Amino acid sequence: MPAIATQGLTRVFGPVTALSQLTVEMPTGVVGLVGANGAGKSTLIKILLGLLPPTSGSATILGMNSLTDGLKIREIVGYMPESECLPPDVSATEFIVHMARMSGLPTSVARERTADTLRHVGLYEERYRPIGGYSTGMRQRVKLAQALVHDPKLVLLDEPTNGLDPAGRDDMLELIRRVSADFNISVVVTSHLLGELERISDHIVSIEGGVLQHSTSTAAATDFSGVVLVEVTDRGPEAVDRLQAMGATVTTGAQPNSFAVAINDERVLDDVRGVVVDLEVGLIRMQHGRHHLSEMFATQQEALHG
Amino acid sequence: MAENSAVPDAAPAAAQSHGVIHDIGFRHYDGERLGRGWIVRSLLVETFRGVFGLGRPAKAKIMPWVLVGILFAPPLIFALIAVLLGLDELPLSYTAYPQALSLIVSLFVASRAPYCVSRDLRHGVMPLYLSRPMRRNDYVFAKFAGLALALFAILAAAETLLFVGALLAKLAVGAQITGYLQGLAVSVLYALVLTSIGLVIAAATPRRGLGVAAIITVLAVVAGVAAVASELLIYNGNETLGNYVGALDPYGLVDGIAVLWFGVDSAFGREVTLGFTGGVAFTAAVIVVVAGGIGLLMRRYRKVGVA
């Protein structure tokens, strides 16, 4: 059973179409939801939580209908909003205990799980201080903790790396990977940066202007690309010329001594070896090339990174 | 709270940059998940505690407790006066007491109502509530009930102090019990009416300072205008209209109900001569204020966290 499935999901705000005929399945594990700001990611999340009714179409979360089972869904789903959402005048402990109770946990369980969860997200002594004095990194951890404290089956994380420095980003991404791998909680994580989602996601869904662009497993998208990457110590251009004379398809790059050769049949590999031996240069690397996720998005490059 | 002030500020930062996570494993929870009833109750309790600054830094406790202290001082003085002068009744009646200290009561509402709702609106906490197994109106109900209960608690406590003082001064017990019960009834009405007005204004002004100023201004201005207009009308012979205009002030309204239903003296020292019709009209007005306030709050929260 997929964690999330939508059928023809459409949401219109007056003249603006936030989501248009979105039909997609997201498996369990880490799903990266990528799209520019305003692409419809947050609208999708709100529909999934049952906070916003779709104009048409339907969504199923963990087998439950978002339109009719909102309360049940929100019992076992956690949500980390993109925006600032923490009151400054209480401590993280006080706040997370309160939020755990708001998810229906009895007080004693709420206290126990709060201590556990804050430790898991990496908040220690500072959890007794008012949140107002926290750094952005600590706030993001508190936001993640409130989404995890009630032991959900699925968490929806909206731009969790927003505003973090590179080290903070790495920590947060590692934490998200652990949520799925070690805590066994499915994750849907949004970002406008494909690069960081690529690192942790098992599956990537991209939407643009409310329309589904791609939905693919990360493994499939980064499969072997059918080229061999070659790097030699010297006389690269000559090697390229000779290979082309032999009928190989060669793509050169910025570096004169490295190039990619298309593997039309296995003989090409022998040709490369032969050329290198003939030219008496060293062979630094000969490697099967892999696709990068970003190739899939080449046409939207500007939208994604602009 | 087990605050460990011995740990220097650098320590948490260091722990954070390493992203250390003690690997004791994530424990899953298979136990009971309590429903909306529990959630509303918990939110109500949290709101009530928040009003008095419990579970908040010391700074948040100053304002409510200073006001509570001021509200509780006069009953002790009255009791002392009653003992020393050998009075046969309290210098101030139970039903008149909240009006006599209306400035303090209004300040309490003005400072606490924004504390209940503005915080969640201003700091974007609403999405966290809405993503939990509760409905929007549950939130509204819990906040309303939390503040109303807190307000009733301080008024009822003040009434109780008056009562205890009266008993210590050996005043006639029967009359005191009647007065005390009337005082509690009036406290319920004040709590409901003032909570309604306070929360509607607070929810419309997410900046807390503005909310405080707006509530105190509205309560003070309305009270002033109503008192003056009512006085003028009564002085010029239009007693009926004067009495109704006086009830535009929430304190005048509740006081009017006490006069018309319990037959006590008005806290404003004016004759309220509206009879049964007036009693019904005033009671209906209280219901409209409370129901209208809750309705406006529900409307206010319908769009929060969606668009």
Side-chain angles (χ1 to χ4, degrees), chain A residues 124-145:
Chain A
Y124 304 94
E125 289 308 321
E126 58 271 28
R127 67 181 185 267
Y128 299 116
R129 294 207 311 257
I131 295 171
Y134 287 13
S135 67
T136 309
M138 284 153 71
R139 282 165 197 267
Q140 291 299 86
R141 286 162 195 265
V142 178
K143 282 164 69 174
L144 181 62

Side-chain angles (χ1 to χ4, degrees), chain A:
Chain A
M1 185 183 70
I4 291 168
T6 71
Q7 292 88 30
L9 203 61
T10 301
R11 174 69 208 196
V12 179
F13 294 104
V16 182
T17 303
L19 282 180
S20 171
Q21 291 295 327
L22 190 75
T23 301
V24 68
E25 284 195 359
M26 302 185 191
T28 52
V30 180
V31 175
L33 182 59
V34 65
N37 294 329
K41 291 171 295 182
S42 297
T43 303
L44 177 59
I45 285 181
K46 277 164 188 163
I47 291 176
L48 294 177
L49 285 168
L51 297 176
L52 195 64
T55 309
S56 65
S58 66
T60 316
I61 300 95
L62 304 167
M64 292 180 287
N65 185 327
S66 73
L67 204 55
T68 52
D69 298 330
L71 287 174
K72 277 225 150 24
I73 290 170
R74 298 200 291 272
E75 208 165 77
I76 54 167
V77 171
Y79 169 50
M80 173 177 173
E82 176 186 3
S83 53
E84 190 52 54
C85 60
L86 304 173
D89 58 346
V90 290
S91 67
T93 298
E94 189 90 25
F95 183 65
I96 301 295
V97 167
H98 175 57
M99 280 300 150
R101 279 194 298 231
M102 290 298 101
S103 287
L105 299 194
T107 304
S108 56
V109 178
R111 289 196 185 289
E112 203 173 298
R113 290 199 62 86
T114 295
D116 272 12
T117 309
L118 284 174
R119 195 171 50 235
H120 278 299
V121 301
L123 271 183
Y124 304 94
E125 289 308 321
E126 58 271 28
R127 67 181 185 267
Y128 299 116
R129 294 207 311 257
I131 295 171
Y134 287 13
S135 67
T136 309
M138 284 153 71
R139 282 165 197 267
Q140 291 299 86
R141 286 162 195 265
V142 178
K143 282 164 69 174
L144 181 62
Q146 65 78 30
L148 291 172
V149 69
H150 56 294
D151 187 24
K153 301 271 183 290
L154 168 76
V155 283
L156 305 169
L157 312 178
D158 203 352
E159 302 272 0
T161 56
N162 233 6
L164 297 177
D165 57 28
R169 259 168 211 272
D170 288 348
D171 288 349
M172 181 53 77
L173 292 173
E174 168 63 14
L175 204 48
I176 293 168
R177 200 196 55 72
R178 283 188 49 122
V179 167
S180 168
D182 299 352
F183 305 175
N184 205 14
I185 296 171
S186 281
V187 178
V188 174
V189 51
T190 78
S191 176
H192 53 277
L193 296 174
L194 181 63
E196 56 182 39
L197 290 185
E198 193 177 15
R199 283 165 49 189
I200 54 166
S201 301
D202 305 318
H203 192 98
I204 295 275
V205 172
S206 91
I207 53 175
E208 202 54 62
V211 179
L212 179 69
Q213 303 289 315
H214 299 276
S215 174
T216 177
S217 84
T218 318
T222 56
D223 213 352
F224 293 119
S225 59
V227 299
V228 60
L229 304 173
V230 180
E231 189 176 350
V232 292
T233 50
D234 201 9
R235 301 170 74 181
E238 283 176 63
V240 172
D241 288 345
R242 289 196 184 203
L243 282 167
Q244 276 169 337
M246 293 163 121
T249 315
V250 184
T251 320
T252 50
Q255 297 288 329
N257 288 332
S258 44
F259 47 88
V261 184
I263 311 174
N264 299 321
D265 63 80
E266 293 290 321
R267 237 190 45 231
V268 169
L269 301 175
D270 293 333
D271 290 346
V272 171
R273 188 199 57 209
V275 166
V276 169
V277 172
D278 287 352
L279 289 174
E280 297 188 318
V281 292
L283 182 60
I284 294 171
R285 126 177 123 128
M286 218 172 138
Q287 180 191 13
H288 277 297
R290 280 180 180 277
H291 281 297
H292 285 280
L293 265 176
S294 51
E295 295 167 21
M296 190 173 91
F297 298 92
T299 52
Q300 310 154 43
Q301 209 72 338
E302 282 190 4
L304 290 167
H305 299 288

